[in-house]
Amino acid sequence: MLDCTFCKIVSREMPSQIVYEDEEIVAFHDINPQAPVHVLIVPRKHIESVLDVTEEDRGVLGAMLVRAKDIARQLGVDEKGFRLVINTGKYAGQAIYHIHLHLIGGRRMTWPPG
Ligand code: 5GP
Ligand code: ZN
């Protein structure tokens, strides 16, 4: 997608601090971290939101979750715990319409979220 920030990060047109990448996904540090660890895990494929996923996306969505575990370990938040979030739509505060999994950790979090 021409004007999508995360497509530009995936294609390296825009810089980011990448922590993991493979043929399906890219993970990089959030530019405005909400915790000591805040990584975004995105598919290379432009999918706007959870509302747009299809059966053919099962593999990449699974890969995002499996890699989230590895990245949590890599960044040392696995033992104390972390949160995985996919904001979807206006009320959830989705700002970038390229699906992304937030991996947030390194501090205690409250529930319910704001
Ligand atoms: P959303 O609100 O859509 O779930 O989250 C979008 C996230 O993308 C926010 O946490 C925001 O800080 C992050 N973000 C927005 N623009 C950029 C960028 O250009 N680079 C990086 N690394 N993160 C970004
Ligand atoms: Zn995109």
Side-chain angles (χ1 to χ4, degrees):
M1 251 241 163
L2 226 55
D3 236 12
C4 170
T5 302
F6 290 170
C7 280
K8 286 180 182 164
I9 285 176
V10 163
S11 69
R12 307 278 183 133
E13 200 181 318
M14 264 181 70
S16 71
Q17 284 182 273
I18 291 176
V19 296
Y20 175 84
E21 66 179 321
D22 62 26
E23 62 284 348
E24 285 184 304
I25 65 176
V26 180
F28 50 90
H29 289 287
D30 195 292
I31 204 169
N32 182 25
Q34 300 302 311
V37 169
H38 188 168
V39 166
L40 302 172
I41 304 169
V42 313
R44 288 188 185 276
K45 176 186 175 186
H46 181 86
I47 303 168
E48 290 206 350
S49 85
V50 165
L51 293 173
D52 300 290
V53 300
T54 67
E55 290 297 325
E56 78 171 29
D57 300 322
R58 276 174 181 270
V60 72
L61 294 167
M64 287 163 68
L65 206 50
V66 172
R67 291 311 154 223
K69 171 205 69 182
D70 296 336
I71 294 163
R73 284 208 180 117
Q74 181 187 326
L75 298 179
V77 295
D78 54 318
E79 272 191 26
K80 286 193 169 160
F82 56 92
R83 189 169 287 174
L84 298 174
V85 174
I86 303 180
N87 293 320
T88 304
K90 191 163 68 177
Y91 270 22
Q94 184 175 3
I96 303 228
Y97 279 78
H98 179 133
I99 196 169
H100 48 283
L101 182 61
H102 294 258
L103 190 171
I104 305 164
R107 66 165 169 83
R108 191 179 289 275
M109 278 166 269
T110 57
W111 190 265

